[in-house]
Amino acid sequence: MSCVLARPVSELRSPSNPLIKDVRRAVTRSAATKKGLWVAESLRLFDEALASRLKVDTVVAAVRRRREVEARLRGHGDVTLSIVDDNLFAQITSTETSQGVLALVEPPKCDLDELFKGVPLVVALDAIQDPGNVGTIVRTAEAFGGTGVVLLKGTAHAANPKTLRASAGSLFRLPHIEGLEPEELIDEIDKRGLCCFAASPRAERPLSKARFERGCVIVLGSEAHGVGPALRDAAEDLRIPTRAVESLNVSAAAAVVLYEASRRRSASGESRNDRGMR
């Protein structure tokens, strides 16, 4: 039986079609579309977008994926579906081996109060320009209980399709803010009485000495330049003890720091619960 959709299905054949041109422009510039939509490529991100609370405006699928995409869209009658020739789809994707589907998604909205609510564990990325590292760190932050991410000015954008793919859907869920200057972040940290830690391979204080149990911001810098001077001055430097190598890739360093923060917070919570039961 054929799948009957409560939505119009358009077939786009021309490279000059406005939607095709808009998607190609966004992918080429590693940015959002003219309507401010994220280009989420791959079946994984398509599924994550549908499962999120975000609005999926349009799905663009190659002919070879049509039936599979239509099946996944059951129950999502408000999503527009556009079908394109396989060769044309290959011209608008950023991947060498395309999976034949992309979703145009309204990005989540977040303000500073939401980002820092409760006892925050926020990761701030200082001029990390590799979108793969940025997306991986966002995914790692969600995995280890991070409450939000700040993409400081000079960091790869969340809208970059490579950032979105590396985040594996975490950018759809984890609160984040883009474009803050370091000085603006420092003002927020001071105003809210948070701890601030900066990862540095030359720091004297080892990771085990950090007080992650309190509300805090963990700052990570690029591998080439590290954390910038403004945030270095405002933060306590932390060193990850290593053997044979001086430093780790920034996404690997993020995983180590966030795992330790998660472990310490869990242990602190268990201790408080034990005291309460006595």
Side-chain angles (χ1 to χ4, degrees), residues 207-241:
L207 190 61
S208 59
K209 298 296 184 181
R211 297 184 60 189
F212 290 124
E213 298 84 357
R214 297 176 53 190
C216 62
V217 175
I218 298 168
V219 186
L220 300 165
S222 70
E223 293 170 45
H225 304 292
V227 176
L231 281 162
R232 282 286 300 276
D233 289 345
E236 296 180 37
D237 281 355
L238 292 180
R239 173 176 49 82
I240 299 172

Side-chain angles (χ1 to χ4, degrees), residues 103 155 273 277:
T155 294
N273 290 338
M277 293 173 62

Side-chain angles (χ1 to χ4, degrees), residues 29-239:
R29 298 185 179 185
S30 301
T33 68
K34 289 182 178 179
K35 291 173 61 177
L37 303 175
W38 284 349
V39 181
E41 301 175 289
S42 79
L43 286 167
R44 167 75 178 272
L45 279 187
F46 168 48
D47 289 339
E48 293 285 356
L50 290 179
S52 73
R53 295 176 296 173
L54 304 180
K55 175 178 173 54
V56 179
D57 181 89
T58 303
V59 173
V60 181
V63 171
R64 61 188 166 89
R65 289 291 190 187
R66 177 167 185 162
R67 290 187 179 181
E68 183 177 2
V69 169
E70 285 179 339
R72 280 171 150 91
L73 284 174
R74 288 174 183 155
H76 298 276
D78 58 336
V79 179
T80 300
L81 175 60
S82 295
I83 303 298
V84 302
D85 176 83
D86 289 12
N87 291 330
L88 181 55
F89 191 95
Q91 297 176 32
I92 64 173
T93 183
S94 67
T95 60
E96 292 184 9
T97 307
S98 167
Q99 294 185 4
V101 61
L102 61 84
L104 302 182
V105 185
E106 281 192 8
K109 295 178 174 60
C110 177
D111 60 24
L112 289 166
D113 288 334
E114 180 181 1
L115 187 74
F116 291 112
K117 68 181 179 182
V119 184
L121 176 60
V122 170
V123 181
L125 307 185
D126 187 15
I128 299 177
Q129 297 179 346
D130 184 291
N133 280 335
V134 172
T136 299
I137 292 169
V138 174
R139 185 182 184 187
T140 301
E142 184 180 35
F144 291 124
T147 59
V149 176
V150 178
L151 307 181
L152 290 163
K153 190 173 182 179
T155 294
H157 292 297
N160 187 316
K162 294 179 182 178
T163 307
L164 287 170
R165 284 201 307 275
S167 81
S170 291
L171 275 165
F172 296 152
R173 299 179 293 267
L174 194 63
H176 64 276
I177 286 180
E178 294 191 75
L180 281 185
E181 296 282 359
E183 292 76 13
E184 294 177 290
L185 177 61
I186 292 167
D187 287 344
E188 290 296 325
I189 290 170
D190 291 342
K191 181 171 70 175
R192 298 171 189 273
L194 304 175
C195 296
C196 184
F197 304 107
S200 171
R202 298 175 183 83
E204 293 185 5
R205 181 190 296 268
L207 190 61
S208 59
K209 298 296 184 181
R211 297 184 60 189
F212 290 124
E213 298 84 357
R214 297 176 53 190
C216 62
V217 175
I218 298 168
V219 186
L220 300 165
S222 70
E223 293 170 45
H225 304 292
V227 176
L231 281 162
R232 282 286 300 276
D233 289 345
E236 296 180 37
D237 281 355
L238 292 180
R239 173 176 49 82

Side-chain angles (χ1 to χ4, degrees), residues 10-17 20 66 83-85 88 91:
S10 59
E11 295 187 3
L12 310 181
R13 297 183 175 87
S14 172
S16 62
N17 176 275
I20 296 297
R66 177 167 185 162
I83 303 298
V84 302
D85 176 83
L88 181 55
Q91 297 176 32

